[in-house]
Coordinates of all heavy atoms in Angstrom, one line a residue:
M1 N 139.7 183.2 116.0 CA 140.1 182.5 117.2 C 141.3 181.6 116.8 O 141.2 180.9 115.8 CB 139.0 181.7 117.7 CG 139.4 180.9 119.0 SD 137.9 180.3 119.8 CE 138.1 178.6 119.4
H2 N 142.4 181.6 117.5 CA 143.6 180.8 117.3 C 143.7 179.8 118.4 O 143.7 180.1 119.5 CB 144.8 181.7 117.3 CG 146.1 181.0 117.1 ND1 146.4 180.3 116.0 CD2 147.1 180.8 117.9 CE1 147.6 179.7 116.1 NE2 148.0 180.0 117.3
T3 N 143.8 178.5 117.9 CA 144.0 177.4 118.9 C 145.3 176.7 118.6 O 145.5 176.4 117.4 CB 142.8 176.5 118.8 OG1 141.6 177.2 119.0 CG2 142.9 175.4 119.8
D4 N 146.1 176.5 119.6 CA 147.3 175.7 119.4 C 147.0 174.2 119.3 O 146.2 173.7 120.0 CB 148.3 175.9 120.6 CG 148.9 177.2 120.6 OD1 149.0 177.9 119.5 OD2 149.3 177.7 121.7
V5 N 147.6 173.6 118.3 CA 147.4 172.1 118.1 C 148.7 171.4 118.4 O 149.7 171.9 117.9 CB 146.9 171.8 116.7 CG1 146.8 170.3 116.5 CG2 145.6 172.5 116.4
H6 N 148.7 170.4 119.2 CA 149.9 169.7 119.6 C 149.7 168.3 119.2 O 148.7 167.6 119.4 CB 150.1 169.7 121.1 CG 150.3 171.1 121.7 ND1 151.5 171.8 121.6 CD2 149.5 172.0 122.3 CE1 151.4 172.9 122.1 NE2 150.2 173.1 122.6
E7 N 150.8 167.7 118.6 CA 150.8 166.3 118.2 C 151.2 165.5 119.4 O 152.0 165.9 120.2 CB 151.8 166.1 117.1 CG 151.3 166.5 115.7 CD 152.2 166.0 114.7 OE1 152.8 164.9 114.7 OE2 152.5 166.8 113.7
T8 N 150.7 164.3 119.5 CA 151.0 163.4 120.6 C 152.3 162.7 120.2 O 152.6 162.3 119.0 CB 149.9 162.3 120.7 OG1 148.8 162.9 121.2 CG2 150.3 161.2 121.7
I9 N 153.2 162.5 121.1 CA 154.5 161.8 121.0 C 154.1 160.3 121.2 O 154.1 159.9 122.4 CB 155.6 162.3 121.9 CG1 155.9 163.7 121.6 CG2 156.8 161.4 121.7 CD1 156.9 164.4 122.5
S10 N 153.8 159.6 120.2 CA 153.3 158.2 120.4 C 154.3 157.2 120.8 O 154.1 156.2 121.4 CB 152.5 157.7 119.1 OG 153.4 157.8 118.0
D11 N 155.6 157.5 120.4 CA 156.7 156.6 120.7 C 157.5 157.0 122.0 O 158.7 156.7 122.0 CB 157.6 156.4 119.5 CG 158.2 157.7 119.1 OD1 157.8 158.8 119.5 OD2 159.2 157.6 118.3
W12 N 156.9 157.6 122.9 CA 157.6 158.2 124.1 C 158.3 157.1 124.9 O 159.3 157.3 125.5 CB 156.7 159.0 125.0 CG 155.5 158.2 125.6 CD1 154.2 158.2 125.2 CD2 155.5 157.5 126.8 NE1 153.5 157.4 126.0 CE2 154.2 157.0 127.0 CE3 156.5 157.1 127.8 CZ2 153.9 156.1 128.1 CZ3 156.2 156.3 128.8 CH2 154.9 155.8 129.0
M13 N 157.8 155.8 124.8 CA 158.5 154.7 125.5 C 159.8 154.4 125.0 O 160.7 153.8 125.6 CB 157.6 153.5 125.5 CG 156.4 153.7 126.4 SD 155.3 152.2 126.5 CE 154.2 152.6 125.2
D14 N 160.1 154.8 123.7 CA 161.3 154.4 123.0 C 162.3 155.6 122.9 O 163.4 155.4 122.5 CB 161.0 153.9 121.6 CG 160.1 152.7 121.6 OD1 160.4 151.8 122.5 OD2 159.2 152.6 120.8
K15 N 161.9 156.8 123.3 CA 162.8 157.9 123.2 C 163.6 158.0 124.5 O 163.3 157.6 125.5 CB 161.9 159.2 123.1 CG 161.2 159.3 121.8 CD 160.8 160.8 121.6 CE 160.2 160.9 120.2 NZ 161.1 160.8 119.1
P16 N 164.8 158.6 124.4 CA 165.6 158.9 125.6 C 164.8 159.8 126.5 O 164.2 160.8 126.1 CB 166.8 159.7 125.0 CG 166.9 159.3 123.6 CD 165.5 159.1 123.1
I17 N 164.7 159.3 127.8 CA 163.8 159.9 128.7 C 164.1 161.4 128.9 O 163.2 162.2 129.1 CB 163.8 159.1 130.1 CG1 162.6 159.6 130.9 CG2 165.1 159.2 130.8 CD1 162.4 158.7 132.1
E18 N 165.3 161.8 128.9 CA 165.7 163.2 129.1 C 165.2 164.1 128.0 O 165.0 165.3 128.2 CB 167.2 163.4 129.4 CG 168.1 163.1 128.2 CD 168.5 161.6 128.1 OE1 168.0 160.8 128.9 OE2 169.3 161.3 127.2
E19 N 164.9 163.6 126.8 CA 164.4 164.4 125.7 C 162.9 164.8 125.9 O 162.4 165.7 125.3 CB 164.5 163.6 124.4 CG 165.9 163.5 123.8 CD 165.9 162.8 122.5 OE1 164.8 162.6 121.8 OE2 167.0 162.5 122.1
L20 N 162.3 164.1 126.9 CA 160.9 164.4 127.1 C 160.7 165.5 128.2 O 159.6 165.9 128.4 CB 160.1 163.1 127.5 CG 160.2 162.0 126.5 CD1 159.6 160.7 127.0 CD2 159.4 162.4 125.2
A21 N 161.8 165.9 128.8 CA 161.7 166.9 129.9 C 161.2 168.2 129.3 O 161.6 168.6 128.1 CB 163.1 167.1 130.5
G22 N 160.4 168.9 130.0 CA 159.8 170.2 129.5 C 158.6 170.1 128.6 O 158.0 171.1 128.3
K23 N 158.3 168.8 128.2 CA 157.1 168.6 127.4 C 155.8 168.7 128.2 O 155.8 168.4 129.4 CB 157.1 167.3 126.7 CG 158.3 167.0 125.8 CD 158.3 167.8 124.6 CE 159.4 167.5 123.6 NZ 159.6 168.4 122.6
R24 N 154.7 169.1 127.6 CA 153.4 169.1 128.2 C 152.9 167.7 128.2 O 153.0 167.0 127.2 CB 152.5 170.1 127.5 CG 151.1 170.1 128.1 CD 150.2 171.0 127.4 NE 148.8 170.9 127.9 CZ 147.7 171.1 127.2 NH1 147.8 171.5 126.0 NH2 146.6 170.9 127.8
A25 N 152.3 167.3 129.3 CA 151.7 165.9 129.3 C 150.3 166.0 130.0 O 150.1 166.9 130.9 CB 152.6 165.0 130.1
I26 N 149.5 165.1 129.7 CA 148.2 164.9 130.3 C 148.1 163.5 130.8 O 148.2 162.6 129.9 CB 147.0 165.3 129.3 CG1 147.2 166.7 128.8 CG2 145.7 165.1 130.0 CD1 146.3 167.1 127.7
A27 N 147.9 163.3 132.0 CA 147.8 161.9 132.6 C 146.5 161.8 133.3 O 146.0 162.7 133.9 CB 149.0 161.7 133.6
I28 N 146.1 160.5 133.4 CA 144.9 160.2 134.2 C 145.3 159.2 135.2 O 145.9 158.1 134.9 CB 143.7 159.6 133.3 CG1 143.3 160.7 132.2 CG2 142.5 159.2 134.1 CD1 142.3 160.3 131.2
T29 N 145.0 159.5 136.5 CA 145.4 158.6 137.5 C 144.4 157.4 137.6 O 143.3 157.4 137.0 CB 145.3 159.3 138.9 OG1 143.9 159.6 139.2 CG2 146.2 160.6 138.9
V30 N 144.8 156.4 138.3 CA 143.9 155.2 138.4 C 142.6 155.6 139.1 O 141.6 154.9 138.9 CB 144.6 154.0 139.2 CG1 145.8 153.5 138.3 CG2 145.1 154.4 140.5
G31 N 142.6 156.7 139.9 CA 141.4 157.1 140.5 C 140.5 158.0 139.7 O 139.5 158.5 140.1
G32 N 141.0 158.3 138.5 CA 140.2 159.1 137.5 C 140.6 160.6 137.5 O 139.9 161.4 136.7
T33 N 141.6 161.1 138.2 CA 141.9 162.5 138.2 C 142.8 162.8 137.0 O 143.7 162.0 136.7 CB 142.7 162.8 139.5 OG1 141.9 162.6 140.6 CG2 143.1 164.3 139.5
T34 N 142.5 163.9 136.3 CA 143.3 164.3 135.2 C 144.4 165.3 135.7 O 144.0 166.3 136.4 CB 142.5 164.9 134.1 OG1 141.5 164.0 133.7 CG2 143.3 165.4 132.9
I35 N 145.6 165.1 135.3 CA 146.7 166.1 135.6 C 147.3 166.5 134.3 O 147.7 165.7 133.4 CB 147.8 165.4 136.5 CG1 147.2 164.9 137.8 CG2 148.9 166.4 136.8 CD1 148.2 164.0 138.6
D36 N 147.4 167.8 134.1 CA 147.9 168.5 132.9 C 149.0 169.4 133.3 O 148.8 170.3 134.1 CB 146.7 169.3 132.3 CG 147.1 169.9 130.9 OD1 148.3 170.1 130.7 OD2 146.2 170.2 130.2
G37 N 150.2 169.1 132.8 CA 151.3 170.0 133.2 C 152.6 169.7 132.5 O 152.6 168.8 131.6
E38 N 153.7 170.3 132.9 CA 155.0 170.1 132.3 C 155.7 169.0 133.0 O 155.7 168.9 134.3 CB 155.8 171.4 132.5 CG 157.1 171.4 131.8 CD 157.9 172.7 132.0 OE1 157.2 173.8 132.0 OE2 159.1 172.7 132.1
L39 N 156.5 168.2 132.2 CA 157.3 167.1 132.8 C 158.7 167.6 133.2 O 159.3 168.4 132.4 CB 157.4 166.0 131.8 CG 156.1 165.3 131.4 CD1 156.3 164.2 130.3 CD2 155.5 164.6 132.7
E40 N 159.1 167.1 134.3 CA 160.4 167.5 134.8 C 161.3 166.2 134.9 O 160.8 165.2 135.4 CB 160.2 168.1 136.2 CG 161.4 168.4 136.9 CD 161.1 169.1 138.3 OE1 160.6 168.3 139.2 OE2 161.2 170.3 138.4
Y41 N 162.5 166.2 134.4 CA 163.4 165.1 134.4 C 164.2 165.0 135.7 O 164.7 166.1 136.2 CB 164.4 165.2 133.3 CG 165.5 164.2 133.3 CD1 165.2 162.9 132.9 CD2 166.8 164.5 133.6 CE1 166.3 161.9 132.8 CE2 167.8 163.6 133.6 CZ 167.5 162.3 133.2 OH 168.5 161.3 133.2
R42 N 164.3 163.8 136.3 CA 165.1 163.6 137.5 C 165.9 162.4 137.4 O 165.5 161.4 136.7 CB 164.1 163.5 138.7 CG 163.3 164.7 139.0 CD 162.4 164.5 140.2 NE 161.5 165.7 140.4 CZ 160.5 165.7 141.2 NH1 160.3 164.7 142.0 NH2 159.8 166.8 141.3
I43 N 167.0 162.4 138.0 CA 167.9 161.2 138.0 C 168.4 160.9 139.5 O 168.7 161.9 140.2 CB 169.0 161.3 137.0 CG1 169.8 160.0 137.0 CG2 169.9 162.5 137.4 CD1 170.8 159.9 135.8
E44 N 168.4 159.7 139.8 CA 168.9 159.3 141.1 C 169.8 158.0 140.9 O 169.5 157.2 140.1 CB 167.8 158.9 142.1 CG 166.8 160.0 142.4 CD 165.7 159.5 143.3 OE1 166.0 158.7 144.3 OE2 164.6 159.8 143.0
K45 N 170.9 158.0 141.7 CA 171.7 156.8 141.7 C 171.8 156.2 143.1 O 172.0 156.9 144.0 CB 173.1 157.2 141.2 CG 173.1 157.6 139.7 CD 174.5 157.9 139.2 CE 174.4 158.4 137.8 NZ 175.6 158.9 137.3
T46 N 171.5 154.9 143.2 CA 171.5 154.3 144.5 C 172.9 153.8 144.9 O 173.7 153.7 144.0 CB 170.5 153.1 144.5 OG1 170.9 152.1 143.6 CG2 169.1 153.6 144.2
E47 N 173.0 153.5 146.1 CA 174.3 153.0 146.6 C 174.7 151.6 145.9 O 175.9 151.4 145.7 CB 174.3 152.8 148.1 CG 174.3 154.1 148.8 CD 174.3 153.9 150.3 OE1 174.6 152.7 150.8 OE2 174.0 154.8 151.0
D48 N 173.7 150.9 145.5 CA 174.0 149.6 144.8 C 174.2 149.7 143.3 O 174.3 148.7 142.6 CB 173.0 148.5 145.2 CG 171.6 148.9 144.7 OD1 171.4 150.0 144.3 OD2 170.7 148.1 144.9
G49 N 174.3 151.0 142.8 CA 174.6 151.2 141.4 C 173.4 151.3 140.5 O 173.5 151.5 139.3
L50 N 172.2 151.2 141.0 CA 171.0 151.4 140.2 C 170.8 152.8 139.8 O 170.9 153.7 140.6 CB 169.7 150.9 141.0 CG 168.4 150.9 140.2 CD1 168.4 150.0 139.1 CD2 167.3 150.6 141.2
R51 N 170.5 153.1 138.5 CA 170.3 154.4 138.0 C 168.8 154.5 137.7 O 168.3 153.8 136.9 CB 171.1 154.7 136.7 CG 171.0 156.2 136.3 CD 171.8 156.5 135.1 NE 171.1 156.1 133.9 CZ 171.6 155.3 132.9 NH1 172.8 154.8 133.0 NH2 170.8 155.0 131.9
V52 N 168.1 155.4 138.4 CA 166.7 155.6 138.3 C 166.4 157.0 137.6 O 166.7 158.0 138.3 CB 165.9 155.5 139.6 CG1 164.4 155.7 139.4 CG2 166.2 154.2 140.3
E53 N 166.0 157.0 136.4 CA 165.6 158.3 135.7 C 164.1 158.3 135.7 O 163.4 157.3 135.5 CB 166.1 158.3 134.3 CG 167.6 158.2 134.2 CD 168.1 158.1 132.8 OE1 168.1 157.0 132.3 OE2 168.4 159.1 132.2
S54 N 163.5 159.5 135.9 CA 162.1 159.6 136.0 C 161.6 161.0 135.4 O 162.4 161.9 135.3 CB 161.6 159.5 137.4 OG 162.0 160.5 138.2
L55 N 160.3 161.0 135.0 CA 159.6 162.2 134.6 C 158.5 162.4 135.6 O 157.7 161.4 135.9 CB 159.1 162.0 133.2 CG 160.1 161.9 132.1 CD1 159.4 161.6 130.8 CD2 160.8 163.2 131.9
N56 N 158.5 163.6 136.2 CA 157.5 163.9 137.2 C 156.8 165.2 136.7 O 157.4 166.0 136.0 CB 158.1 164.2 138.5 CG 159.0 163.1 139.0 OD1 159.9 162.7 138.3 ND2 158.8 162.7 140.2
F57 N 155.6 165.4 137.1 CA 155.0 166.7 136.9 C 155.6 167.7 137.9 O 155.9 167.3 139.0 CB 153.5 166.7 137.2 CG 152.7 166.0 136.1 CD1 152.1 164.8 136.2 CD2 152.5 166.7 134.8 CE1 151.4 164.2 135.2 CE2 151.8 166.1 133.8 CZ 151.2 164.8 134.0
V58 N 155.9 168.9 137.4 CA 156.5 169.9 138.2 C 155.7 170.1 139.5 O 154.5 170.1 139.5 CB 156.6 171.2 137.5 CG1 157.2 172.4 138.3 CG2 157.5 171.1 136.2
N59 N 156.4 170.1 140.6 CA 155.8 170.2 142.0 C 155.0 169.0 142.5 O 154.3 169.1 143.5 CB 154.9 171.5 142.1 CG 155.7 172.7 141.8 OD1 156.8 172.9 142.2 ND2 155.0 173.7 141.1
L60 N 155.1 167.8 141.8 CA 154.6 166.6 142.3 C 155.7 165.6 142.5 O 156.4 165.3 141.5 CB 153.5 166.0 141.4 CG 152.2 166.8 141.3 CD1 151.3 166.2 140.2 CD2 151.5 166.9 142.6
P61 N 155.8 165.0 143.6 CA 156.9 164.0 143.9 C 156.8 162.7 143.2 O 157.8 162.0 142.9 CB 156.9 163.9 145.4 CG 155.5 164.1 145.8 CD 155.0 165.2 144.8
Q62 N 155.6 162.2 142.9 CA 155.4 160.9 142.3 C 155.8 160.9 140.8 O 155.4 161.8 140.1 CB 153.9 160.5 142.4 CG 153.3 160.4 143.7 CD 152.8 161.7 144.2 OE1 152.8 162.7 143.5 NE2 152.2 161.7 145.4
Y63 N 156.6 159.9 140.4 CA 156.9 159.9 139.0 C 155.8 159.3 138.2 O 155.0 158.5 138.6 CB 158.3 159.2 138.8 CG 158.3 157.7 139.3 CD1 157.8 156.7 138.5 CD2 159.0 157.4 140.4 CE1 157.9 155.4 138.9 CE2 159.1 156.1 140.8 CZ 158.5 155.1 140.1 OH 158.6 153.8 140.5
V64 N 155.8 159.8 136.9 CA 154.8 159.4 136.0 C 155.4 158.3 135.1 O 154.8 157.3 134.7 CB 154.3 160.5 135.1 CG1 153.2 160.1 134.1 CG2 153.8 161.7 136.0
V65 N 156.7 158.6 134.7 CA 157.4 157.6 133.8 C 158.7 157.3 134.5 O 159.4 158.2 135.1 CB 157.7 158.3 132.4 CG1 158.6 157.4 131.6 CG2 156.4 158.6 131.7
V66 N 159.2 156.1 134.4 CA 160.4 155.7 135.1 C 161.2 154.9 134.1 O 160.7 154.1 133.3 CB 160.2 154.9 136.4 CG1 159.5 153.6 136.1 CG2 161.5 154.8 137.2
C67 N 162.6 155.0 134.2 CA 163.5 154.3 133.4 C 164.6 153.8 134.3 O 165.3 154.6 134.9 CB 164.1 155.1 132.3 SG 165.3 154.3 131.2
L68 N 164.8 152.5 134.4 CA 165.8 151.9 135.3 C 167.0 151.4 134.5 O 166.9 150.6 133.5 CB 165.2 150.7 136.0 CG 164.0 151.0 136.9 CD1 163.5 149.7 137.5 CD2 164.3 152.0 138.0
N69 N 168.1 152.0 134.8 CA 169.4 151.6 134.1 C 169.3 151.7 132.6 O 169.8 150.8 131.9 CB 169.9 150.2 134.6 CG 170.4 150.3 136.0 OD1 170.9 151.3 136.4 ND2 170.4 149.1 136.6
G70 N 168.6 152.6 132.1 CA 168.5 152.8 130.6 C 167.7 151.7 129.9 O 167.7 151.5 128.7
G71 N 166.8 151.0 130.7 CA 166.1 149.9 130.1 C 164.7 150.2 129.5 O 163.9 149.3 129.4
G72 N 164.5 151.4 129.1 CA 163.2 151.8 128.4 C 162.3 152.5 129.4 O 162.5 152.4 130.6
N73 N 161.4 153.3 128.9 CA 160.5 154.1 129.7 C 159.3 153.3 130.0 O 158.7 152.6 129.1 CB 160.1 155.4 128.9 CG 161.4 156.2 128.5 OD1 162.4 156.1 129.2 ND2 161.3 156.9 127.5
H74 N 158.8 153.4 131.2 CA 157.6 152.7 131.7 C 156.7 153.6 132.4 O 157.1 154.4 133.3 CB 158.0 151.5 132.6 CG 158.9 150.5 131.9 ND1 158.4 149.6 131.0 CD2 160.2 150.4 131.9 CE1 159.4 148.9 130.5 NE2 160.5 149.4 131.1
L75 N 155.4 153.5 132.1 CA 154.4 154.3 132.9 C 154.3 153.8 134.3 O 154.3 152.5 134.5 CB 153.0 154.2 132.2 CG 151.9 154.9 132.8 CD1 152.0 156.4 132.8 CD2 150.6 154.5 132.1
A76 N 154.2 154.6 135.3 CA 154.0 154.2 136.7 C 152.6 153.8 136.8 O 151.7 154.6 137.3 CB 154.4 155.4 137.6
D77 N 152.3 152.6 136.4 CA 150.9 152.1 136.3 C 150.2 151.8 137.6 O 149.0 151.5 137.7 CB 150.7 151.0 135.3 CG 151.6 149.8 135.7 OD1 152.2 149.8 136.8 OD2 151.6 148.8 134.9
T78 N 150.9 151.9 138.7 CA 150.3 151.8 140.0 C 149.6 153.1 140.4 O 148.6 153.1 141.2 CB 151.3 151.4 141.1 OG1 152.3 152.4 141.2 CG2 151.9 150.0 140.9
L79 N 150.0 154.2 139.8 CA 149.4 155.5 140.0 C 148.6 156.1 138.8 O 147.7 156.8 139.0 CB 150.4 156.5 140.4 CG 151.2 156.2 141.7 CD1 152.4 157.2 141.9 CD2 150.3 156.3 142.9
F80 N 149.0 155.7 137.6 CA 148.5 156.3 136.4 C 148.0 155.2 135.5 O 148.6 154.2 135.3 CB 149.5 157.2 135.7 CG 150.0 158.3 136.5 CD1 151.1 158.2 137.3 CD2 149.3 159.5 136.5 CE1 151.5 159.3 138.1 CE2 149.7 160.6 137.3 CZ 150.8 160.5 138.1
K81 N 146.8 155.5 134.8 CA 146.3 154.5 133.8 C 146.5 155.0 132.4 O 146.5 154.1 131.5 CB 144.9 154.2 134.1 CG 143.9 155.3 133.9 CD 142.5 154.8 134.2 CE 141.5 155.9 134.1 NZ 140.1 155.5 134.5
S82 N 146.8 156.3 132.2 CA 147.1 156.7 130.8 C 148.0 157.9 130.8 O 148.0 158.7 131.8 CB 145.9 156.9 130.0 OG 145.2 158.0 130.5
L83 N 148.7 158.1 129.7 CA 149.6 159.3 129.6 C 149.6 159.7 128.2 O 149.8 158.9 127.3 CB 151.0 159.0 130.1 CG 152.1 160.0 129.9 CD1 151.7 161.2 130.8 CD2 153.4 159.5 130.3
N84 N 149.5 161.0 127.9 CA 149.6 161.6 126.6 C 150.7 162.7 126.7 O 150.5 163.7 127.4 CB 148.2 162.2 126.2 CG 148.2 162.7 124.8 OD1 149.1 162.4 124.0 ND2 147.2 163.4 124.4
I85 N 151.8 162.5 126.0 CA 152.9 163.5 126.0 C 152.8 164.2 124.7 O 152.7 163.6 123.6 CB 154.3 162.9 126.2 CG1 154.3 162.1 127.5 CG2 155.4 163.9 126.1 CD1 155.6 161.4 127.7
L86 N 152.8 165.6 124.7 CA 152.6 166.4 123.5 C 153.9 167.0 123.0 O 154.8 167.4 123.8 CB 151.6 167.5 123.9 CG 150.3 167.0 124.4 CD1 149.4 168.2 124.9 CD2 149.5 166.2 123.4
A87 N 154.0 167.0 121.7 CA 155.2 167.6 121.1 C 155.3 169.1 121.2 O 154.3 169.7 121.4 CB 155.3 167.1 119.6

């Protein structure tokens, strides 16, 4: 039997957010639901100049990780209580 082993990216908060796109992630919502899927990178620019970069699970609109104006990656802790990004 062959099992794939993946290492956790423990320093995901310090990596450029776009480098995490396409990675597998496992998140647990504040309600206790586990979501396992691929992360998708998105970027939006507002009229007032704010640059919002985010990582979302494919086909889910809510972001899991957000980065405002390049200020570091932050877990969307109003929706998620934990996140494991795999290498």
Side-chain angles (χ1 to χ4, degrees):
M1 181 168 107
H2 175 66
T3 304
D4 289 334
V5 176
H6 298 281
E7 282 188 40
T8 296
I9 300 174
S10 58
D11 61 344
W12 62 264
M13 289 184 264
D14 301 318
K15 292 202 173 290
I17 193 169
E18 64 274 6
E19 286 184 14
L20 300 171
K23 301 287 186 194
R24 179 180 173 209
I26 301 167
I28 300 176
T29 68
V30 294
T33 301
T34 300
I35 302 172
D36 183 340
E38 183 180 327
L39 294 174
E40 177 178 71
Y41 173 76
R42 297 180 187 169
I43 186 168
E44 297 176 45
K45 294 180 183 176
T46 64
E47 290 181 14
D48 60 355
L50 182 66
R51 189 178 82 232
V52 181
E53 296 173 277
S54 64
L55 293 171
N56 307 55
F57 284 107
V58 175
N59 298 323
L60 290 177
Q62 302 86 358
Y63 58 79
V64 182
V65 176
V66 66
C67 177
L68 302 175
N69 287 333
N73 303 331
H74 301 279
L75 179 66
D77 59 7
T78 57
L79 298 172
F80 297 94
K81 64 181 177 182
S82 68
L83 176 65
N84 187 13
I85 300 176
L86 305 173

